[in-house]
Amino acid sequence: MATESIRVPKPCTSQANAASTNADTQLVRVTHPFHPLFPRQLPCVGKRYNRHGERLLLQTEDATVWSVPPQWTDLVSPDPEVAMSSGRSLLRVADLMELTGLVERLSSKSGTR
């Protein structure tokens, strides 16, 4: 009987940085307008995976490491809705749908008390 191997991502896929140089470091710009690091460009010192998906580890000048979703950086192409609205749209349709679901779930929980 053949067995199938399933590859599960490790919790942290950060590369060892003991031998890394500044030339090896990829600079990433934070593009989310409400993030405290917007619009700074910082070195990406690794990646992590958690239940919400991939996270980039960005390091500031004071050696603090921030965990940021790749969608909030220039590594991912901008969402077409956001690009077309030129900053005039506060929320995307997908965000509004998610908010609607959250409000419905919270409303049903408070109504059962």
Side-chain angles (χ1 to χ4, degrees), residues 27-79:
L27 293 177
V28 176
R29 184 174 308 280
V30 177
T31 57
H32 192 289
F34 301 117
H35 195 280
L37 297 176
F38 174 80
R40 294 173 57 189
Q41 191 171 23
L42 302 165
C44 181
V45 295
K47 293 181 184 177
R48 252 193 203 150
Y49 293 88
N50 64 19
R51 65 181 174 183
H52 303 292
E54 182 180 17
R55 306 288 288 192
L56 301 176
L57 303 176
L58 307 181
Q59 188 171 29
T60 57
E61 296 81 16
D62 65 355
T64 302
V65 176
W66 292 67
S67 174
V68 178
Q71 300 87 331
W72 293 3
T73 70
D74 61 354
L75 292 182
V76 176
S77 299
D79 185 285

Side-chain angles (χ1 to χ4, degrees), residues 10 26-27 30 33 61 71-72 85-86 97 107-108:
K10 295 178 183 175
Q26 179 178 11
L27 293 177
V30 177
E61 296 81 16
Q71 300 87 331
W72 293 3
S85 72
S86 300
M97 298 297 289
S107 296
S108 68

Side-chain angles (χ1 to χ4, degrees), residues 11-32:
C12 179
T13 58
S14 300
Q15 298 175 351
N17 60 3
S20 70
T21 65
N22 287 341
D24 297 337
T25 306
Q26 179 178 11
L27 293 177
V28 176
R29 184 174 308 280
V30 177
T31 57
H32 192 289

Side-chain angles (χ1 to χ4, degrees), residues 3-8:
T3 60
E4 187 176 324
S5 133
I6 298 174
R7 188 169 168 245
V8 178

